[in-house]
Amino acid sequence: GNSVTQMEGPVTLSEEAFLTINCTYTATGYPSLFWYVQYPGEGLQLLLKATKADDKGSNKGFEATYRKETTSFHLEKGSVQVSDSAVYFCARSSSNTGKLIFGQGTTLQVKP
Amino acid sequence: GAVVSQHPSRVICKSGTSVKIECRSLDFQATTMFWYRQFPKQSLMLMATSNEGSKATYEQGVEKDKFLINHASLTLSTLTVTSAHPEDSSFYICSAREDGGEETQYFGPGTRLLVL
């Protein structure tokens, strides 16, 4: 089927720790891939994206590389801050409908 | 950057009343907008695709007579929850895709609906 799977949370880290949130997808063709972030009580904000294989999206210290061979788009950050605490959603585009297919979301808690 | 607004941000209403939520793209045109519903600690559930100048396309299981969508201009889509009941209480989020742009969707800040 066509789906997006994220690692289960919550992920709890200390400030300045290294972050990885895994995301894998299934799809026919080559969708665009996205990471969105949702802070408490707010809507989603686009964090980064990649539109083709081997592209690396990056923003605010976060990175993710479009890996066609492993159908993955893992989110990484070298040193997290308390302000990074939020829910992170991985998503892929649907080729002919314009819709986004979301993963279930991963909650990140960063403690001082 | 592309900004999407929603109004109101929070609404409390009595059971049986109707509530209208607006979604606006502030600095770009959007022929296509999307309406989502999010339950606490869950992912987004796509309710419908809103198309300017034509009828909305609803996802399976979403009642089109319950959730009325109107996309009257290239910058405005509205969602009306008709005869709201407590089970309609939720967080409603819209998104817009820029005309001529890529597949990126830009999201509004969401509307918290509480039906008493």
Side-chain angles (χ1 to χ4, degrees), chain A residues 17-81:
Chain A
F18 184 87
L19 169 71
T20 299
I21 300 178
N22 290 339
C23 172
T24 56
Y25 67 92
T26 58
T28 54
Y30 303 102
S32 294
L33 302 173
F34 306 85
W35 276 101
Y36 284 87
V37 57
Q38 184 178 33
Y39 297 101
E42 299 183 13
L44 273 65
Q45 298 177 26
L46 178 65
L47 182 58
L48 53 85
K49 66 180 181 181
T51 57
K52 60 183 187 297
D54 299 325
D55 268 2
K56 178 187 283 187
S58 61
N59 185 27
K60 299 180 182 179
F62 291 89
E63 293 184 340
T65 301
Y66 191 143
R67 301 286 188 200
K68 185 181 67 173
E69 62 276 12
T70 54
T71 61
S72 64
F73 193 54
H74 304 323
L75 183 68
E76 297 181 336
K77 187 174 185 181
S79 176
V80 293
Q81 305 300 313

Coordinates of all heavy atoms in Angstrom, one line a residue, chain A residues 17-81:
Chain A
A17 N 21.7 16.9 22.8 CA 21.8 15.5 22.3 C 21.6 15.4 20.8 O 21.0 16.4 20.2 CB 20.9 14.6 23.0
F18 N 22.0 14.3 20.2 CA 21.8 14.1 18.8 C 20.4 13.5 18.6 O 20.0 12.6 19.3 CB 22.8 13.1 18.2 CG 22.7 12.9 16.7 CD1 23.4 13.8 15.9 CD2 22.0 11.9 16.2 CE1 23.3 13.6 14.5 CE2 21.9 11.7 14.8 CZ 22.6 12.5 14.0
L19 N 19.7 13.9 17.6 CA 18.3 13.5 17.3 C 18.2 12.7 16.0 O 18.8 13.2 15.0 CB 17.4 14.7 17.2 CG 16.0 14.4 16.7 CD1 15.2 13.5 17.7 CD2 15.2 15.7 16.3
T20 N 17.6 11.6 16.0 CA 17.1 10.9 14.8 C 15.7 10.5 15.0 O 15.4 9.8 16.0 CB 18.0 9.6 14.5 OG1 19.3 10.0 14.3 CG2 17.5 9.0 13.2
I21 N 14.9 10.8 14.0 CA 13.5 10.3 14.0 C 13.4 9.6 12.6 O 13.5 10.2 11.6 CB 12.4 11.4 14.1 CG1 12.6 12.2 15.4 CG2 11.0 10.8 14.0 CD1 11.6 13.3 15.6
N22 N 13.1 8.3 12.7 CA 13.1 7.5 11.5 C 11.7 7.7 10.8 O 10.7 7.8 11.4 CB 13.3 6.0 11.8 CG 14.7 5.7 12.2 OD1 15.6 6.5 11.9 ND2 14.9 4.7 12.9
C23 N 11.8 7.7 9.4 CA 10.6 7.7 8.6 C 10.9 6.9 7.4 O 11.9 7.0 6.7 CB 10.3 9.1 8.2 SG 8.9 9.3 7.0
T24 N 10.0 6.0 7.1 CA 10.0 5.2 5.8 C 8.7 5.3 5.1 O 7.6 5.6 5.8 CB 10.3 3.7 6.1 OG1 9.3 3.2 7.0 CG2 11.7 3.5 6.7
Y25 N 8.7 5.1 3.8 CA 7.5 5.3 3.1 C 7.3 4.1 2.1 O 8.3 3.5 1.7 CB 7.5 6.6 2.3 CG 8.5 6.7 1.3 CD1 8.3 6.4 -0.1 CD2 9.8 7.1 1.6 CE1 9.2 6.5 -1.0 CE2 10.8 7.2 0.6 CZ 10.5 6.9 -0.7 OH 11.5 6.9 -1.7
T26 N 6.1 3.9 1.6 CA 5.9 3.1 0.5 C 5.1 3.9 -0.5 O 4.3 4.7 -0.2 CB 5.0 1.8 0.9 OG1 3.8 2.3 1.4 CG2 5.8 1.0 1.9
A27 N 5.5 3.7 -1.8 CA 4.8 4.5 -2.9 C 5.2 3.9 -4.2 O 6.2 3.3 -4.4 CB 5.2 5.9 -2.8
T28 N 4.3 4.1 -5.2 CA 4.7 3.9 -6.5 C 5.3 5.2 -7.1 O 4.8 6.3 -6.8 CB 3.5 3.4 -7.4 OG1 2.5 4.4 -7.2 CG2 3.0 2.1 -6.9
G29 N 6.3 5.1 -7.8 CA 6.9 6.3 -8.3 C 7.8 7.0 -7.3 O 8.3 6.4 -6.4
Y30 N 8.0 8.3 -7.5 CA 9.0 9.0 -6.7 C 8.3 10.2 -6.1 O 8.3 11.3 -6.7 CB 10.2 9.4 -7.5 CG 10.9 8.2 -8.1 CD1 10.7 7.8 -9.5 CD2 11.6 7.3 -7.3 CE1 11.3 6.7 -10.0 CE2 12.2 6.2 -7.9 CZ 12.0 5.9 -9.2 OH 12.6 4.8 -9.7
P31 N 7.7 10.1 -5.0 CA 7.0 11.2 -4.4 C 7.9 12.3 -3.8 O 9.1 12.0 -3.6 CB 6.2 10.5 -3.2 CG 7.1 9.4 -2.8 CD 7.7 8.9 -4.1
S32 N 7.4 13.4 -3.5 CA 8.1 14.4 -2.7 C 7.9 14.0 -1.3 O 6.9 13.5 -0.9 CB 7.6 15.8 -3.0 OG 7.8 16.2 -4.3
L33 N 8.9 14.4 -0.5 CA 8.9 14.0 0.9 C 9.0 15.3 1.8 O 9.8 16.2 1.4 CB 10.0 13.0 1.3 CG 10.0 11.7 0.5 CD1 11.3 10.9 0.7 CD2 8.8 10.9 0.8
F34 N 8.4 15.2 2.9 CA 8.3 16.4 3.8 C 8.5 16.1 5.3 O 8.1 15.0 5.7 CB 6.9 17.1 3.6 CG 6.6 17.5 2.2 CD1 5.9 16.5 1.4 CD2 6.8 18.7 1.7 CE1 5.6 16.8 0.1 CE2 6.5 19.0 0.4 CZ 5.9 18.1 -0.4
W35 N 9.0 17.0 6.0 CA 8.9 17.0 7.5 C 8.2 18.3 7.9 O 8.5 19.4 7.5 CB 10.2 16.9 8.2 CG 10.8 15.5 8.3 CD1 11.7 14.9 7.5 CD2 10.4 14.5 9.2 NE1 11.9 13.6 7.9 CE2 11.1 13.3 8.9 CE3 9.5 14.5 10.3 CZ2 11.0 12.2 9.7 CZ3 9.4 13.3 11.0 CH2 10.1 12.2 10.7
Y36 N 7.1 18.1 8.7 CA 6.4 19.2 9.3 C 6.5 19.1 10.8 O 6.7 18.0 11.4 CB 4.9 19.1 9.0 CG 4.5 19.5 7.5 CD1 4.5 18.6 6.5 CD2 4.2 20.8 7.2 CE1 4.2 19.0 5.2 CE2 3.8 21.2 6.0 CZ 3.8 20.3 4.9 OH 3.5 20.7 3.7
V37 N 6.5 20.3 11.5 CA 6.5 20.3 12.9 C 5.3 21.0 13.5 O 4.8 22.0 12.9 CB 7.8 21.0 13.4 CG1 8.0 22.4 12.8 CG2 7.9 21.1 14.9
Q38 N 4.8 20.5 14.6 CA 3.6 21.1 15.2 C 3.9 21.4 16.6 O 4.2 20.5 17.4 CB 2.4 20.1 15.1 CG 1.1 20.7 15.6 CD -0.1 19.8 15.5 OE1 0.1 18.6 15.6 NE2 -1.2 20.4 15.3
Y39 N 3.9 22.7 17.0 CA 4.1 23.1 18.4 C 2.8 23.0 19.1 O 1.7 23.1 18.4 CB 4.8 24.5 18.4 CG 6.1 24.5 17.8 CD1 6.3 25.0 16.5 CD2 7.2 24.0 18.5 CE1 7.6 25.0 15.9 CE2 8.5 24.0 17.9 CZ 8.7 24.5 16.6 OH 9.9 24.5 16.0
P40 N 2.8 22.9 20.4 CA 1.5 22.7 21.1 C 0.5 23.8 20.8 O 0.8 25.0 20.8 CB 2.0 22.8 22.6 CG 3.4 22.3 22.6 CD 4.0 22.8 21.3
G41 N -0.7 23.3 20.5 CA -1.8 24.2 20.2 C -1.8 25.0 18.9 O -2.6 25.9 18.6
E42 N -0.8 24.6 18.0 CA -0.7 25.3 16.7 C -0.9 24.4 15.6 O -1.0 23.1 15.7 CB 0.7 25.9 16.7 CG 1.0 26.9 17.7 CD 2.3 27.6 17.6 OE1 3.0 27.4 16.5 OE2 2.8 28.3 18.5
G43 N -0.9 24.9 14.4 CA -1.0 24.2 13.2 C 0.4 23.6 12.8 O 1.3 23.7 13.6
L44 N 0.5 23.1 11.6 CA 1.7 22.5 11.1 C 2.6 23.5 10.4 O 2.1 24.3 9.6 CB 1.5 21.3 10.2 CG 1.3 19.9 10.9 CD1 0.0 19.9 11.7 CD2 1.3 18.9 9.8
Q45 N 3.9 23.5 10.6 CA 4.8 24.3 9.9 C 5.7 23.4 9.1 O 6.2 22.4 9.6 CB 5.7 25.1 10.9 CG 4.9 26.1 11.7 CD 5.8 26.8 12.7 OE1 7.0 27.0 12.5 NE2 5.3 27.2 13.8
L46 N 5.9 23.8 7.8 CA 6.9 23.0 7.0 C 8.3 23.2 7.6 O 8.8 24.3 7.7 CB 6.8 23.5 5.6 CG 7.8 22.9 4.6 CD1 7.5 21.4 4.4 CD2 7.8 23.6 3.2
L47 N 8.9 22.1 7.8 CA 10.3 22.2 8.4 C 11.3 22.0 7.2 O 12.2 22.8 7.1 CB 10.5 21.0 9.4 CG 11.8 21.0 10.1 CD1 12.2 22.3 10.9 CD2 11.9 19.8 11.1
L48 N 11.2 21.0 6.4 CA 12.0 20.8 5.3 C 11.4 19.9 4.3 O 10.4 19.2 4.6 CB 13.4 20.3 5.7 CG 13.5 19.1 6.6 CD1 13.4 17.8 5.7 CD2 14.7 19.1 7.4
K49 N 11.9 19.8 3.1 CA 11.4 18.9 2.1 C 12.5 18.5 1.1 O 13.6 19.1 1.0 CB 10.3 19.6 1.3 CG 10.7 20.8 0.5 CD 9.6 21.4 -0.3 CE 10.0 22.6 -1.1 NZ 8.9 23.2 -1.8
A50 N 12.2 17.4 0.4 CA 13.1 17.0 -0.7 C 12.2 16.4 -1.8 O 11.2 15.7 -1.6 CB 14.0 15.9 -0.2
T51 N 12.5 16.7 -3.0 CA 11.6 16.4 -4.1 C 12.2 15.3 -5.0 O 11.4 14.7 -5.9 CB 11.4 17.6 -5.0 OG1 12.6 18.1 -5.5 CG2 10.7 18.7 -4.2
K52 N 13.4 14.9 -4.9 CA 13.9 13.8 -5.7 C 15.0 13.0 -4.9 O 15.6 13.5 -3.9 CB 14.5 14.2 -7.0 CG 15.6 15.2 -7.0 CD 15.9 15.7 -8.4 CE 17.2 16.5 -8.4 NZ 17.1 17.8 -7.7
A53 N 15.3 11.8 -5.4 CA 16.3 11.0 -4.7 C 17.6 11.7 -4.5 O 18.1 12.4 -5.4 CB 16.5 9.7 -5.5
D54 N 18.2 11.4 -3.3 CA 19.5 11.9 -2.9 C 19.5 13.4 -2.5 O 20.5 14.0 -2.1 CB 20.6 11.7 -4.0 CG 20.8 10.2 -4.2 OD1 20.7 9.4 -3.3 OD2 21.1 9.9 -5.4
D55 N 18.3 14.1 -2.7 CA 18.2 15.5 -2.3 C 18.3 15.5 -0.7 O 17.8 14.6 -0.1 CB 16.8 16.0 -2.6 CG 16.9 16.8 -4.0 OD1 18.0 16.8 -4.6 OD2 15.9 17.3 -4.4
K56 N 18.9 16.5 -0.2 CA 18.9 16.7 1.2 C 18.1 18.0 1.5 O 18.5 19.1 1.0 CB 20.3 16.8 1.8 CG 20.4 17.1 3.3 CD 21.8 17.4 3.7 CE 22.6 16.1 3.9 NZ 23.9 16.3 4.5
G57 N 17.1 17.9 2.4 CA 16.4 19.1 2.9 C 17.1 19.5 4.2 O 17.5 18.6 5.0
S58 N 17.1 20.8 4.4 CA 17.7 21.3 5.7 C 17.1 22.6 6.1 O 16.7 23.4 5.3 CB 19.2 21.4 5.6 OG 19.5 22.4 4.6
N59 N 17.0 22.8 7.4 CA 16.4 24.0 7.9 C 16.6 24.0 9.5 O 16.3 23.0 10.1 CB 14.9 24.1 7.6 CG 14.3 25.4 8.0 OD1 14.9 26.4 8.1 ND2 13.0 25.4 8.3
K60 N 17.0 25.1 10.0 CA 17.1 25.3 11.5 C 18.0 24.2 12.1 O 17.7 23.8 13.2 CB 15.7 25.3 12.1 CG 14.8 26.4 11.6 CD 13.5 26.4 12.3 CE 12.6 27.5 11.8 NZ 11.2 27.5 12.4
G61 N 18.9 23.7 11.4 CA 19.8 22.7 12.0 C 19.3 21.3 11.8 O 20.0 20.3 12.0
F62 N 18.1 21.1 11.3 CA 17.5 19.8 10.9 C 17.9 19.4 9.5 O 18.0 20.3 8.6 CB 16.0 19.8 11.1 CG 15.5 19.9 12.5 CD1 15.2 21.2 13.0 CD2 15.2 18.8 13.2 CE1 14.8 21.3 14.3 CE2 14.7 18.9 14.5 CZ 14.5 20.2 15.1
E63 N 18.1 18.1 9.3 CA 18.4 17.6 8.0 C 17.6 16.3 7.7 O 17.4 15.6 8.7 CB 19.9 17.3 7.8 CG 20.8 18.5 7.8 CD 22.2 18.2 7.6 OE1 22.6 17.0 7.8 OE2 23.0 19.0 7.2
A64 N 17.4 16.0 6.4 CA 16.8 14.7 6.1 C 17.2 14.5 4.6 O 17.1 15.4 3.8 CB 15.3 14.7 6.2
T65 N 17.6 13.3 4.3 CA 18.1 12.9 2.9 C 17.1 11.9 2.3 O 16.8 10.9 3.0 CB 19.5 12.4 3.0 OG1 20.4 13.3 3.5 CG2 19.9 12.0 1.5
Y66 N 16.7 12.2 1.1 CA 15.8 11.3 0.4 C 16.6 10.1 -0.1 O 17.4 10.2 -1.0 CB 15.2 12.1 -0.8 CG 14.1 11.5 -1.6 CD1 13.1 12.4 -2.1 CD2 14.0 10.2 -1.9 CE1 12.1 12.0 -2.8 CE2 12.9 9.7 -2.6 CZ 12.0 10.6 -3.1 OH 10.9 10.1 -3.9
R67 N 16.3 8.9 0.5 CA 17.0 7.7 0.2 C 16.0 6.8 -0.6 O 15.2 6.1 0.0 CB 17.5 7.0 1.5 CG 18.4 7.8 2.3 CD 19.8 7.9 1.7 NE 20.7 8.6 2.6 CZ 21.9 9.1 2.2 NH1 22.2 9.1 0.9 NH2 22.7 9.7 3.1
K68 N 16.2 6.7 -1.9 CA 15.4 5.9 -2.7 C 15.6 4.4 -2.4 O 14.7 3.6 -2.3 CB 15.6 6.2 -4.2 CG 14.7 5.5 -5.1 CD 15.0 5.8 -6.6 CE 16.3 5.2 -7.0 NZ 16.6 5.4 -8.4
E69 N 16.9 4.0 -2.2 CA 17.2 2.6 -2.0 C 16.6 2.0 -0.8 O 16.3 0.8 -0.7 CB 18.7 2.4 -2.1 CG 19.5 3.1 -1.0 CD 19.8 4.5 -1.3 OE1 19.2 5.1 -2.3 OE2 20.6 5.1 -0.5
T70 N 16.4 2.8 0.3 CA 15.9 2.3 1.5 C 14.5 2.9 1.8 O 13.9 2.7 2.8 CB 16.8 2.7 2.7 OG1 17.0 4.1 2.7 CG2 18.1 2.0 2.6
T71 N 14.0 3.6 0.8 CA 12.7 4.4 0.9 C 12.5 5.0 2.3 O 11.6 4.8 3.0 CB 11.5 3.4 0.7 OG1 11.4 2.4 1.6 CG2 11.5 2.9 -0.8
S72 N 13.5 5.8 2.6 CA 13.5 6.5 3.9 C 13.8 8.0 3.8 O 14.3 8.5 2.8 CB 14.6 5.8 4.8 OG 15.9 6.1 4.3
F73 N 13.4 8.7 4.9 CA 13.6 10.1 4.9 C 13.8 10.5 6.4 O 13.0 11.2 7.0 CB 12.4 10.8 4.3 CG 12.6 12.3 4.0 CD1 13.7 12.8 3.2 CD2 11.7 13.3 4.4 CE1 13.9 14.1 3.0 CE2 11.9 14.6 4.2 CZ 13.0 15.0 3.4
H74 N 14.8 10.0 7.0 CA 15.0 10.2 8.5 C 15.4 11.6 8.8 O 16.3 12.2 8.1 CB 16.1 9.2 8.9 CG 15.9 7.8 8.6 ND1 14.6 7.2 8.7 CD2 16.7 6.8 8.3 CE1 14.7 5.9 8.4 NE2 16.0 5.6 8.1
L75 N 14.8 12.1 9.9 CA 15.1 13.5 10.3 C 16.2 13.4 11.4 O 16.2 12.6 12.3 CB 13.9 14.1 10.9 CG 14.0 15.5 11.4 CD1 14.1 16.5 10.2 CD2 12.7 15.9 12.3
E76 N 17.2 14.3 11.2 CA 18.3 14.4 12.1 C 18.6 15.8 12.5 O 18.4 16.8 11.8 CB 19.6 13.8 11.5 CG 19.5 12.3 11.2 CD 20.8 11.7 10.6 OE1 21.5 12.5 10.0 OE2 21.0 10.5 10.7
K77 N 19.2 16.0 13.8 CA 19.7 17.2 14.2 C 20.8 16.9 15.2 O 20.7 16.1 16.0 CB 18.6 18.1 14.9 CG 19.1 19.5 15.2 CD 18.0 20.4 15.8 CE 18.6 21.8 16.0 NZ 17.6 22.7 16.6
G78 N 21.9 17.7 15.0 CA 23.1 17.4 15.8 C 23.0 17.7 17.2 O 23.6 17.1 18.1
S79 N 22.3 18.8 17.5 CA 22.2 19.3 18.9 C 20.9 19.9 19.2 O 20.6 21.0 18.7 CB 23.3 20.3 19.2 OG 23.3 20.8 20.5
V80 N 20.0 19.2 19.9 CA 18.6 19.7 20.1 C 18.6 20.7 21.2 O 19.4 20.7 22.1 CB 17.6 18.5 20.3 CG1 17.5 17.6 19.1 CG2 18.0 17.7 21.6
Q81 N 17.6 21.5 21.1 CA 17.3 22.5 22.2 C 15.9 22.3 22.8 O 15.1 21.6 22.2 CB 17.3 23.9 21.6 CG 18.6 24.2 20.9 CD 19.8 24.1 21.8 OE1 19.8 24.7 22.9 NE2 20.9 23.5 21.3

